[in-house]
Every structure is written in C-alpha cells, then in structure tokens.
C-alpha cells in the first residue's frame, strides 16, 4: 500500500519507483493511491498493475484495514493520515516519508508567534507514524539560523560557536525518526542543470578566463554565518597548496581558487581575502561564494573540488554528489562515509584530515602542464558513473529492513522473502531518461532549498489562523495568538459539555412548562410554541430512523468501532448503526450504543478480543427494548469498506421481498463468502472450512475450537470434539454479514455466549494467544474464530443456509438439509440442551459460584434461570407473611392494652 502526494515525474518518484520495484521482487504487493494526478501515473500503473487516484473528498472512503501497512511519501498525504489517526485505523502500520523541509522552516515561526497548538497538531500527526523517514540524517535534527545543517550526533563535539543552531523537525520527534539516505535528488538536479547551463558560459559571466583552472574549495556547511574556526583550519590546511599553485602562472592560464562555504555577505569575502593576502596571493586568485547563492552555478564552473571540511558527516555530502555528477574530480578527507562509497584513486583522491602534506600529494597527480591530467579525467568519469546509482542498494535495503521491523503480517499472509534475496540495485533512470530537464526538477538554485511544494503546510496554517482570527480579534484589528489553541480532543470535550448543558436546559424548560404560571399574552404563547417545535425537531432527530423502520420486518445493524468507519455506514430504514464504543457513536443518528447496553464493552480488553460479536450480545441483551421485529441482521462496516461484499440496492430489495413472503422457518441468509477472502490470498485451490479457519488463525483454529467445544460440553478426552464441516464446494459465511429470524438470533447468541466463555477459559487471554502471529492479531485474539462460529451453529442446528449474491440479489441454497444426514451433531445443538446449559450457568452466576476470577459468561448478557421465579415467589411470600405477622401483633397490642377515647373538651 502506498499513498502519493502527487504523481509528478520528479526525483522523488524515481526513488520511490526504484524502491517499490525491488520490494516487489521480494514478494511485497502494492496498491497505489495519489492525492493529486500527474504525468507519472502510467509508470505507477505499470508497477502496481492497478491504480486509483484519490482526491481530497475521497480520502475518508478507504478501508485502510485491508492493507498490512501504509506508506505515505510526502507531507501532502497528511489528509489520509488524518483518517489513519481515527479508529479503527489507528493500528494500521504507517511509514511517512518526509522529503520537504518546508514544515521545518515554518516551525520556528509558529513557536515565535506563540502558535503552540499548531506545533502540537503536527506533533500528533508525526506521532501517528510508526516511522518517519527522512532522506538525510541532517533533515530531522538541527539547522542553523538560515539553512545550514548539523547532525545531532555531532553536537557533543562542536565548539560553543555552534550554539546558534535551532531545532528542525526534531521538535516533532516522538522517537520514531529514521534516516534512509539517497542521492537521486542531487544527481537529478545536476543533470537538469547541465541541460541548460554550459560550463564555458558560466565561467565567462563570472569573470573567469577560458584557460583558468578553477579549484573549488568546499567548506563545512555546519558553520554558516561567520568565518568560523573550521574554515580557518581549512585555510591553514590549504596553505601549501595555495602557496605552490596560487602564485604560479602556467602558459595559457592560471590557477583560481574558489571558496564555497558560509553565506555571501561581504564580511566572509573580506576574511578570505585577508587570509589570501597573508599567503602572498593576489586578489583575483581567490574568490568566495556563499551557500545561499546558486551553488549549481558555482560547482558547474569548477575543474577540481577539494572538500576541506574538518567535520565528519553522517550523510555523504550533498554537494559532493552534485560535483561528481558534474564530472568534477574530487579530493576529500578520508572520512569513513567517503571511504564507504568511494575508492581511493578510482573515484576520487583521499588525504588524511588536517594534514596539508597529504592534501598536496593528492592534488599533484590531477594536474599536468597547468591543465587537468588524463588521470583526473578518468577519476571524474569513474566518479560520475559511480554517483549515478550510488546509495541505491543501501536505500532499497533500508526500506526493506524498515518494512520487516514495522509490518506484522497476519496468519493468512504469504510472507515476503528476506533482505538477503535482494540483488545489487540501481535507480530506474531508464524510466526517466528524457525527464531530467529543468521543468521537471524540484530543485531550486540553493542546494538546501525545499525539495517540495507542500501546500498542505499552509492549508493547515490557514485553518488554525482562521480559528485564531475568529476568537482573538480585537477592535483594533490586531490578532492575539493564544498560547494553546483548541485541539480535536478539546473540541470533543466541548461538544460533550454543550450537549449536557443543552439537555439540562431542555429538561428545566420542560419542568417549567408543567408548573402553573400566569396566563401570558398570545404573542408569548406563539413564541413558546415555535420554540417548542424547534426543540422537538432537534431532540427527536435521531428518532426519525426509528419511525422509518416502523412496520418493517427487518433491521440490519451495522457494527462499527471508531469514527473512521462513519463514511462506510448506510442510511435509511433498513440499516441502523451499532457502535461498540460510546465515544465514537454518531451523534446525529439513532445508532445503538452497544457499550451502554452491555457494560462489558467498556472494558477495552474484552471489547478487543471478542470484536463485533460483542455488539450482537448487546442487542440480544433485553432485546425487546430495542428490537421488536421478526427478522434481524448484521453487517460489518468492513463490508462497505471492501465494497465487494456489501449489499447492492437490488440485493436489498430481493432480501426484503423474500422475508416478507416466507415469514416462517429456520433460515440464515448471508452475502459474504469465506472463499472470497481465499481468492484474495491468491489461493486458487479449494479449501475446506476448517483449513481456511486454520489459515486465518495461525494454524490453530481446529485445535482451539475443539478445546473450547470440549470445555463447553464437558466432553472427555476420548470423545471427538470437533464438529465436522462438509467439503461440498458450497459457500460459508464471513464478516458477520447475515440475516435470520429474531428467535433464531437469540438462540445463536445463547450458544455464542457459552462458546465465547469456553474459548476464554481454555485460552487464558490474549497474552498467550495461539491464534495470532502479530501483536495486532493477539489484541483481537478470538475475533476470527467467532466470526466463523455462525456457520458451525447454523449447519449443525439444522438451519437452512442461503447465499445472496450481493450484486444481483440472486439466491442459492448452501449445504442442503437433505445432504447433512450423518454429518450434523444435532444432539449438541439441541435447543433444550443449550437452554439447560444456559440456566445452569445462570444459577451459578446468581449464587456467585464463579469457576474463576475473570468469568466472561455473566458479563455477556442476561443472567436468567427458572429458579429465579421460585426465589422471587418465596421472597414475596416471606414479605407477605411478615406483613401479616406485624398486623396481628399490632391488633393484639391494641386489644390487650385497650383503647381509651379522650373525653370531649378534655
């Protein structure tokens, strides 16, 4: 799964395509979404085989739970991430790749203006990701006042002069930042620049002669504003080289030294000239350019580049990548990061750091008669060839390793191959061979300019600013920025408080209406009447759904858990929402609050492990108070999210017609086939019911089901306890999408409650869950077994099972009753037996005779048995006799003591 901010043909797309193409070879399958369409769409369609472009309005209509993970490639994907921050999508692994530094540049502005809530907003978004990936080690950490970058690992060794650095993205760090370096952006920028700028033209426009040999000296990017000690050390180290070649003039040309570091202020240029004059160099021999200028222009003019930084970096220097792409031979200190990628005297020349003699020794072979030697040209050519695909293998391997650490595949997934199967990788330049022109590049003149046009940053900024303007604007049109703007949780709390206040207000007004008051004038009466009608409409808005369902034989409850599922829920008289969480219920609808009807669901542990069947338990609990129709149905919100298993309008009409015609009979209609999921897994071979259940439950479905069934019925070890399920090629139900008569539903719930209790008894909680391989599956340990339980109950209790085609509404009976002879275990599913077992559990619960400390069964619904009537009758008889006794005693006392009436007037 991947979300693209856009589909432009740019270096970011090149990097992602190269990574995804190699990950596909390991067995990963990707479905590509894009927030914005673009010219690179055919490339993504070719890679993924299918593609869907999402626009802003559609981002909330994606069921993210069908993916093992989500990769978002830019800040522009934040709209989708906002959806992933809501239940039931919060547990979906997310990798967020941040190429842009535009947000990092805005964060100090927010802090300076006191917009702490805006910073908190982005911090919460970054915290949602399992990993936030940056293409450089430097991008997430520290930045100088302008754009120079300092790795966090160097802060402990830098001098006090570096104390002016400010935080970049690290203010948003939640411990999930990861750096996976790549070189595509800089290579793309260099090649784009070559297409439009010739070396000779640039040299002439900057005052250099045709025969001048330009030695570029690249200083540290850590020290940006001042002529720091690092640059002074670099000048000292270059002393012998400057002295030997700066005063020398060969036939036809001369050596020019160009220093590229810091900024282009007059002070830095003067400092360079002062050092040069001490060495006896003329003013035109030494020039200075700043990193805040067009660094591509400066690098393009050079013949040799000397990397004179004394500070070791974690990243391969960005400007070295560009220089090598321009075909410039490189002389560099023997830093480990340089030696990791380059070979000495092959791709460049190494010298010992802070050793002027070895620097001079490395420089000499590159010069011949005042010009570049053939050896230098060979090194430049080798370097350019190396840099073309440099870091490709490391980058792709880095993403593969990240996926291994972040993604936890469910039991029914074909696992990808290990990283060891990756071949030596290259960037897919062939797909972009003619696309590196200037109009396609995202790179601006500065080497450190933002590599993206992230409008989402300013959109979020405008939203927060509009809130501030509406709440903090004073008469003089000045805006006061609050220290803490309201967050989403603040709005939720405010909404709850306002709702409670509105309820109390309504209640008090209704009480006042019942009190006696003086007769008011007609105008006041009319005003109150209109107000009453308005309030009545608002209060009873959620009752409209109930009115629409009046007289209908069927209601289908759509089970959901979280606001992220709201877009997938249906509206109309046939459906009613069933929220497993009180706080995530739709306030403007008449959805059922399952947790309010069944307090067990307020316990997140049990709500998670039993999942959607907990909603069914809540409806069955005192069912007459909520459902008084002959038919009942359930549909998971995931049905609409996956679209292929949700009832169409035609299928809905077919279902309603058939239950109105056939009002009797023990029958179950279902429209989600278990084998659809099997096809999705790529398993074309026929699978049995139990083999599929094993696949979905880490291979332990049969064993677990047998243990629970044995515990439920108290069967000894020598008796078979796994009900047989036929291999007749017919369909089984999945996803809790079915309809049945309400009495049948209550019987199914009675069976399910006892089975769930037995499952919990033999399983001892999700900590030892043998049905799951990942943490997420362990959290929902019983869900997949309970999802298939209706099939076992319906088959062995003799219910007719009918499959409804969700598209056209056609009906097809499955597992005909006439063919079940010899297979059905009717004795275990007999209603009388189940009712007796249920009453035994109820009696034990009523007597507080709990078999263990955390006994699930009493918490799943009503506790009711025949002895309750006897106890109530005995209690009523005891109270009656006690009252009778007290009356006799009172009468006896009156007779014994007599009754004397006082005389009149006495």
């Amino acid at each position: 799964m991947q979300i693209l901010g856009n589909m432009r043909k740019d270096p970011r797309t090149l990097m992602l395509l190269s990574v995804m193409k190699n990950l596909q070879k390991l067995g990963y399958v990707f479905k590509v979404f894009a927030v914005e369409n673009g010219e690179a769409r055919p490339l993504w369609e070719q890679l993924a085989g299918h593609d869907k472009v999402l626009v802003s309005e559609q981002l909330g209509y994606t069921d993210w739970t069908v993916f093992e993970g989500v990769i978002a490639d830019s800040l522009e994907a934040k709209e989708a991430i906002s959806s992933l921050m809501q239940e039931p999508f919060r547990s979906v692994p997310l990798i967020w790749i941040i190429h842009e530094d535009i947000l990092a540049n805005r964060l100090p502005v927010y802090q300076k203006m006191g917009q702490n809530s805006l910073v908190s907003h982005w911090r919460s978004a970054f915290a949602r990701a399992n990993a936030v990936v940056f293409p450089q080690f430097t991008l997430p950490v520290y930045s100088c006042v302008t754009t120079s970058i300092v790795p966090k690992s160097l802060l402990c060794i830098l001098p006090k002069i570096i104390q002016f650095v400010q935080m970049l993205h690290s203010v948003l760090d939640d411990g999930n930042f990861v750096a996976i370096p790549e070189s595509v952006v800089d290579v793309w920028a260099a090649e784009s620049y070559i297409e439009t700028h010739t070396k000779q033209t640039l040299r002439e426009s900057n005052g250099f002669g045709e025969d001048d040999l330009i030695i570029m000296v690249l200083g540290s990017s850590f020290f940006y504003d001042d002529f720091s000690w690092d640059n002074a050390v670099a000048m000292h180290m270059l002393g012998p080289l400057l002295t030997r070649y700066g005063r020398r003039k060969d036939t036809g040309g001369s050596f020019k030294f160009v220093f590229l570091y810091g900024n282009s202020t007059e002070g830095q240029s003067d400092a360079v000239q002062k050092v040069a004059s001490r060495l006896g160099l003329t003013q035109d021999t030494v020039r200075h350019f700043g990193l805040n200028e067009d660094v591509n222009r400066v690098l393009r003019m050079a013949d040799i580049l000397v990397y004179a930084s004394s500070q070791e970096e974690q990243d391969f220097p960005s400007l070295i990548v560009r220089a090598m792409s321009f075909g410039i031979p490189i002389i560099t200190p023997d830093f480990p990061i340089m030696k990791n990628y380059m070979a000495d005297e092959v791709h460049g020349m190494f010298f010992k750091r802070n050793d002027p003699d070895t620097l001079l020794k490395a420089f000499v072979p590159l010069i011949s008669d005042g010009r570049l030697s053939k050896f230098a040209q060979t090194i430049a050519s080798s370097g350019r060839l190396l840099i073309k695909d440099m870091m490709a293998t490391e980058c792709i391997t880095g993403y593969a390793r990240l996926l291994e650490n972040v993604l936890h595949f469910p039991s029914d997934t074909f696992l990808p191959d290990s990283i060891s199967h990756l071949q030596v990788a290259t960037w897919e330049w062939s797909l972009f061979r003619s696309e590196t022109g200037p109009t396609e590049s995202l790179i601006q003149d500065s080497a450190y300019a933002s590599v993206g046009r992230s409008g989402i940053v300013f959109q979020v900024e405008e939203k927060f600013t509009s809130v501030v303007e509406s709440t903090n604007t004073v008469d003089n049109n000045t805006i006061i920025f609050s220290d803490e703007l309201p967050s989403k949780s603040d709005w939720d709390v405010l909404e709850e408080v306002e709702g409670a206040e509105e309820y109390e207000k309504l209640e008090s007004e209704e009480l006042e209406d019942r009190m006696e008051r003086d007769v008011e004038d007609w105008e006041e009466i009319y005003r109150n009447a209109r107000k009453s009608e308005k309030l009545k409409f608002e209060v009873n808005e959620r009752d409209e759904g109930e009115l629409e369902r009046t007289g209908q034989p069927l209601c289908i409850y759509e089970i959901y858990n979280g606001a992220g599922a709201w877009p997938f829920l249906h509206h109309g008289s046939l459906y009613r929402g069933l929220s497993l969480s009180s706080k995530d219920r739709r306030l403007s609808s008449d959805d059922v609050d399952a947790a309010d009807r069944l307090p067990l669901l307020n316990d997140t542990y049990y709500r998670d492990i039993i999942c959607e069947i907990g909603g069914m338990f809540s409806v069955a609990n005192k069912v007459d108070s909520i459902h008084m129709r002959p038919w009942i149905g359930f549909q998971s919100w995931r049905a609409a999210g996956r679209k292929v298993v949700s009832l169409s309008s035609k299928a809905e009409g077919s279902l309603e017609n058939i239950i109105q015609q056939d009002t009797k009979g023990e029958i179950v209609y279902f429209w989600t086939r278990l084998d659809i999921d099997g096809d999705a897994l790529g398993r074309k071979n026929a699978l049995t019911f139990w083999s599929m259940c094993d696949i979905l439950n880490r291979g332990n479905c049969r064993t677990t089901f047998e243990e629970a069934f044995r515990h439920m019925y108290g069967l000894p070890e020598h008796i078979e306890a796994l009900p047989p399920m036929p291999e007749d090629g017919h369909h089984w139900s999945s996803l809790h999408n079915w309809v049945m008569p309400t009495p049948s539903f209550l019987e199914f719930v009675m069976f399910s409650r006892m089975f769930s209790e037995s499952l919990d008894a033999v399983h001892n909680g999700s900590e030892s869950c043998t049905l799951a391989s990942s943490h997420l599956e362990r959290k929902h340990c019983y869900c997949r077994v309970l999802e298939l339980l209706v099939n076992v109950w319906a088959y062995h209790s003799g219910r007719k099972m009918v499959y409804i085609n969700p598209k056209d509404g056609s009906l097809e009976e499955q597992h005909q009753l006439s063919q079940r002879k010899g297979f059905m275990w009717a004795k275990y599913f007999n209603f009388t037996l189940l009712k007796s077992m249920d009453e035994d559990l109820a009696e034990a619960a009523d007597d507080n005779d709990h078999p263990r400390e955390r006994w699930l069964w009493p918490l799943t619904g009503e506790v009711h048995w025949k002895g309750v009537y006897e106890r109530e009758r005995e209690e009523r008889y005891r109270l009656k006799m006690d009252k009778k006794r007290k009356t006799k005693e009172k009468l006896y006392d009156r007779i014994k003591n007599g009754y004397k009436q006082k005389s009149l007037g006495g």
Side-chain angles (χ1 to χ4, degrees):
M1 171 60 189
Q2 181 181 3
I3 307 171
L4 303 175
N6 60 72
M7 284 192 170
R8 303 190 195 100
K9 283 188 175 180
D10 55 29
R12 180 170 61 195
T13 301
L14 170 59
M15 185 276 289
L16 286 172
L17 275 170
S18 303
V19 170
M20 301 307 165
K21 189 172 183 179
N22 282 273
L23 292 179
Q24 275 188 331
K25 296 176 182 178
L26 293 180
Y28 290 96
V29 178
F30 296 94
K31 185 172 183 179
V32 181
F33 292 78
V35 177
E36 176 185 330
N37 204 351
E39 63 274 14
R41 178 171 181 171
L43 299 178
W44 286 110
E45 290 177 340
Q46 180 183 354
L47 175 76
H50 53 273
D51 184 74
K52 179 180 179 181
V53 178
L54 293 181
V55 295
S56 298
E57 292 77 12
Q58 295 175 310
L59 288 174
Y61 292 87
T62 302
D63 178 9
W64 305 112
T65 62
V66 301
F67 305 107
E68 270 64 64
V70 175
I71 301 175
D73 90 312
S74 74
L75 287 171
E76 295 295 332
K78 183 185 176 297
E79 292 184 58
I81 292 173
S82 297
S83 176
L84 287 162
M85 293 174 69
Q86 297 177 318
E87 292 291 355
F89 307 132
R90 289 186 60 85
S91 57
V92 178
L94 169 64
I95 297 173
W96 196 358
I97 307 173
I98 305 297
H99 302 269
E100 309 92 335
D101 66 359
I102 186 169
L103 176 60
N105 294 331
R106 296 299 298 167
L107 288 172
V109 178
Y110 303 155
Q111 293 176 317
K112 184 177 180 180
M113 298 179 68
Q115 293 178 292
N116 296 327
S117 291
L118 192 51
V119 177
S120 299
H121 176 81
W122 281 105
R123 185 183 296 116
S124 63
F126 271 53
R128 167 59 183 90
N130 298 74
V132 179
V133 183
F134 296 91
Q136 300 173 346
F137 285 99
T138 54
L139 188 57
V141 191
Y142 284 85
S143 172
C144 292
V145 173
T146 47
T147 54
S148 183
I149 299 172
V150 181
K152 190 175 183 180
S153 62
L154 294 180
L155 292 180
C156 58
I157 62 173
L158 295 181
K160 292 184 179 180
I161 194 171
I162 204 71
Q163 295 304 312
F164 58 83
V165 297
Q166 66 183 17
M167 301 291 282
L168 262 181
H169 289 105
S170 56
V171 71
L172 309 178
D173 190 4
D174 194 53
N176 56 351
F177 282 8
V178 178
I180 302 181
E182 45 89 3
S183 59
V184 172
V185 170
D186 292 299
V187 175
W188 183 294
E191 296 200 355
S192 298
Y193 201 83
I194 290 173
E195 293 291 328
T196 56
H197 298 79
T198 63
K199 186 171 186 176
Q200 190 60 35
T201 301
L202 291 173
R203 291 163 69 104
E204 292 175 359
S205 63
N206 284 275
F208 292 101
E210 180 179 355
D211 295 327
D212 288 343
L213 196 144
I214 301 177
I215 295 94
M216 178 72 61
V217 180
L218 179 62
S220 173
S221 61
F222 299 158
F223 307 96
Y224 194 81
D225 287 335
D226 301 321
F227 187 78
S228 67
W229 69 273
D230 182 77
N231 297 323
V233 170
M235 293 289 288
H236 173 73
M237 182 176 57
L238 289 165
L241 182 65
L242 292 169
T243 302
R244 178 171 177 177
Y245 289 96
R247 301 173 182 174
R248 169 182 172 184
K249 287 191 176 181
D250 291 341
T251 303
S254 61
F255 290 86
K256 304 292 184 181
F257 289 88
V258 175
F259 290 82
L260 178 61
Y261 58 77
N263 59 35
S264 56
T265 60
E266 183 178 350
Q268 294 218 23
S269 296
D270 292 343
V272 171
Q273 292 297 334
K274 288 179 182 178
V275 174
S277 63
R278 293 194 194 102
L279 298 175
L281 305 178
T282 60
Q283 187 172 1
D284 63 341
T285 302
V286 178
R287 295 275 297 274
H288 171 262
F289 292 92
L291 293 172
N292 58 336
E293 299 184 63
D294 182 359
V295 293
N296 289 325
R297 170 175 61 89
V298 181
L299 291 172
R300 183 78 172 106
M301 295 185 295
D303 295 302
I304 298 174
L305 185 142
V306 178
Y307 184 42
S309 173
S310 63
Q311 299 296 329
E312 183 179 342
E313 299 187 34
Q314 289 177 286
D315 290 318
F316 194 94
S318 173
L319 295 185
I320 300 296
V321 174
R322 299 195 186 202
M324 295 174 73
S325 298
F326 283 133
I328 302 172
I330 305 297
I331 302 176
T332 175
D334 54 355
F335 294 144
I337 187 66
M338 311 303 291
K339 295 173 70 175
N340 186 43
Y341 291 100
M342 299 171 58
D344 189 19
E345 299 186 6
V346 177
H347 307 116
M349 302 295 289
F350 289 157
F351 67 92
K352 294 182 180 180
R353 69 181 77 182
N354 303 324
D355 188 338
D357 294 333
T358 57
L359 170 59
L360 184 61
K361 184 178 180 181
F363 185 84
V364 170
L366 303 182
I367 303 298
S368 177
D369 298 328
R371 299 180 182 276
L372 287 179
S373 65
K374 290 185 178 180
F375 177 65
Q377 296 172 6
T378 301
I379 284 182
S381 178
S382 298
R384 187 174 186 185
L385 186 63
L386 167 72
I387 212 71
K388 190 77 171 180
D389 292 308
M390 195 178 77
M391 301 185 190
T393 300
E394 292 83 351
C395 179
I396 294 167
T397 302
Y399 276 100
R401 185 173 292 109
L402 180 62
L403 291 180
E404 282 189 355
N405 293 331
V406 170
L407 303 185
H408 301 284
F409 296 100
S411 307
D412 55 338
T413 303
F414 287 115
L415 297 179
D417 292 332
S418 65
I419 298 177
S420 60
H421 290 82
L422 273 175
Q423 304 294 325
V424 176
T426 59
W427 301 117
E428 297 294 327
W429 290 104
S430 59
L431 300 175
F432 296 80
R433 185 164 297 165
S434 61
E435 307 298 340
T436 55
T439 59
E440 299 293 340
S441 178
L442 294 178
I443 308 303
Q444 308 300 320
D445 290 338
S446 172
Y448 297 102
S450 298
V451 291
R453 293 168 280 192
S454 187
I456 189 66
V457 174
F458 298 103
Q459 291 175 18
V460 173
E461 199 171 306
E462 289 173 3
K463 290 180 181 179
F464 274 79
T465 302
S466 63
V467 173
V468 174
E469 289 176 348
S470 62
T471 55
N472 297 301
T473 302
V474 294
D475 294 338
N476 60 1
N477 295 324
T478 60
I479 298 176
I480 302 173
F481 291 94
S482 301
D483 289 337
E484 199 66 42
L485 294 177
S487 63
K488 181 181 182 300
S489 61
D490 295 332
W491 286 117
D492 292 339
V493 172
L494 180 61
E495 188 175 9
E496 292 179 5
V497 171
E498 289 178 345
E501 291 176 349
E502 183 66 25
Y503 178 81
E504 292 177 0
K505 178 182 177 182
L506 177 62
E507 189 178 50
S508 62
E509 289 179 354
E510 289 180 346
L511 182 60
E512 289 177 2
D513 290 338
R514 298 188 185 102
M515 297 175 63
E516 294 185 2
R517 295 182 300 175
D518 295 333
V519 179
E520 302 168 312
D521 57 17
W522 287 108
E523 184 178 351
E524 183 69 18
I525 292 174
Y526 286 142
R527 188 184 304 114
N528 289 338
R530 288 192 297 269
K531 182 179 180 181
S532 177
E533 288 296 326
K534 181 180 179 181
L535 289 173
K536 181 179 179 182
F537 174 79
E538 292 176 352
V539 173
N540 295 331
E541 184 180 9
R542 66 177 57 183
D543 295 333
E544 292 180 359
E546 186 64 28
L547 291 174
E548 291 177 359
R549 287 188 290 273
T550 301
Q552 293 196 356
L554 169 65
C555 177
I556 298 176
Y557 296 90
E558 284 194 295
I559 312 172
Y560 68 94
N561 183 22
W566 289 357
F568 306 104
L569 303 180
H570 290 78
H571 300 277
S573 60
L574 183 61
Y575 297 96
R576 188 176 186 184
L578 178 60
S579 176
L580 299 180
S581 173
S582 299
K583 66 177 181 179
D584 293 324
R585 185 166 58 96
R586 294 180 297 178
L587 300 178
S588 60
S589 68
D590 66 334
D591 292 356
V592 178
D593 186 348
D596 182 61
R597 292 184 55 81
L598 190 68
L600 170 69
L601 298 179
N602 289 313
D603 186 333
T604 55
Y605 167 79
Y606 278 118
R607 185 176 68 214
D608 288 338
I609 64 171
I610 63 177
C611 298
E612 294 177 347
I613 205 168
M616 299 181 190
F617 292 163
S618 72
V619 173
N621 189 33
K622 300 179 182 178
V623 66
D624 290 339
S625 64
I626 186 173
H627 183 85
M628 294 178 287
R629 291 166 182 80
W631 291 83
I632 190 171
F634 291 87
Q635 176 168 271
S636 170
W637 69 270
R638 293 173 291 165
R642 301 179 186 182
K643 295 178 176 58
V644 294
V645 291
S646 182
L647 287 175
S648 65
S649 299
K650 187 175 182 179
E652 291 172 358
S654 175
L655 177 61
E656 289 181 286
N657 290 334
I658 193 65
I659 64 174
Q660 287 176 353
Q661 296 172 7
D662 186 10
T663 58
K664 297 182 180 181
E666 300 295 336
I667 188 170
V668 178
Y669 297 98
F670 65 94
W671 53 91
T672 307
R673 308 180 318 192
L674 180 60
D675 56 350
I676 288 181
D677 293 340
D679 291 341
L681 294 171
R683 302 178 184 274
K684 301 303 181 181
N685 297 329
L687 294 169
T688 67
F689 175 85
W690 289 119
S691 63
M692 175 57 76
C693 188
D694 275 340
I695 290 171
L696 296 173
N697 292 279
R698 202 187 176 189
N700 293 312
C701 174
R702 273 179 271 211
T703 302
T704 302
F705 195 100
E706 183 177 6
E707 292 175 350
F709 200 80
R710 188 182 304 280
H711 179 275
M712 177 177 172
Y713 288 95
L715 301 178
E717 291 293 332
H718 66 276
I719 295 180
E720 175 66 30
L722 183 69
M725 302 295 278
E727 302 175 22
D728 54 10
H730 290 182
H731 303 313
W732 301 102
S733 174
S734 178
L735 276 184
H736 289 306
N737 296 342
W738 43 258
V739 163
M740 66 176 67
T742 302
S744 298
F745 163 70
L746 295 177
E747 185 177 335
F748 168 64
V749 167
M750 182 171 60
F751 172 81
S752 301
R753 288 176 60 194
M754 291 187 286
F755 183 84
S756 300
E757 133 67 18
S758 297
L759 186 63
D760 191 55
V762 302
H763 222 275
N764 298 319
S766 62
E767 290 80 8
S768 58
C769 183
T770 60
L771 300 170
S773 56
S774 67
H775 171 73
L776 179 59
E777 282 187 317
R778 288 192 293 271
K779 180 180 178 182
H780 302 294
C781 186
Y782 307 157
C783 297
R784 291 190 174 187
V785 170
L786 295 177
E787 184 180 294
L788 302 178
L789 186 62
V790 67
N791 295 285
V792 181
W793 171 82
Y795 181 86
H796 289 281
S797 63
R799 263 68 181 185
K800 187 177 180 181
M801 304 177 70
V802 178
Y803 170 70
I804 307 175
N805 188 305
K807 294 182 179 180
D808 59 22
S810 60
L811 306 177
E812 182 183 358
E813 184 177 353
Q814 309 293 302
H815 322 291
Q816 286 83 355
L817 288 169
S818 59
Q819 299 177 2
R820 297 188 196 178
K821 294 180 179 179
F823 285 96
M824 289 174 55
W825 283 15
K827 63 179 181 178
Y828 292 113
F829 293 84
N830 179 271
F831 175 75
T832 303
L833 174 63
L834 294 174
K835 182 62 176 174
S836 175
M837 295 167 59
D838 185 78
E839 289 183 350
D840 290 342
L841 292 172
E843 184 176 5
D846 195 42
D847 293 337
N848 291 320
D849 184 16
H850 293 191
R852 58 186 177 280
E853 183 178 354
R854 297 189 68 176
W855 189 25
L856 177 60
W857 185 85
L859 307 176
T860 56
E862 293 179 87
V863 175
H864 185 77
W865 62 294
K866 289 182 179 180
V868 170
Y869 292 119
E870 297 177 1
R871 288 187 178 183
E872 290 177 352
R873 186 166 56 249
E874 290 177 357
E875 180 64 19
R876 287 195 300 270
Y877 180 76
R878 187 188 64 78
L879 292 174
K880 179 181 178 181
M881 295 305 294
D882 187 55
K883 183 178 180 181
K884 187 175 181 180
R885 180 183 58 78
K886 290 181 179 179
T887 302
K888 286 183 177 181
E889 289 178 353
K890 184 176 181 181
L891 181 60
Y892 175 77
D893 290 341
R894 181 177 299 176
I895 294 174
K896 180 179 180 181
N897 298 323
Y899 178 75
K900 298 179 181 179
Q901 182 177 1
K902 291 184 179 181
S903 60
L904 295 175

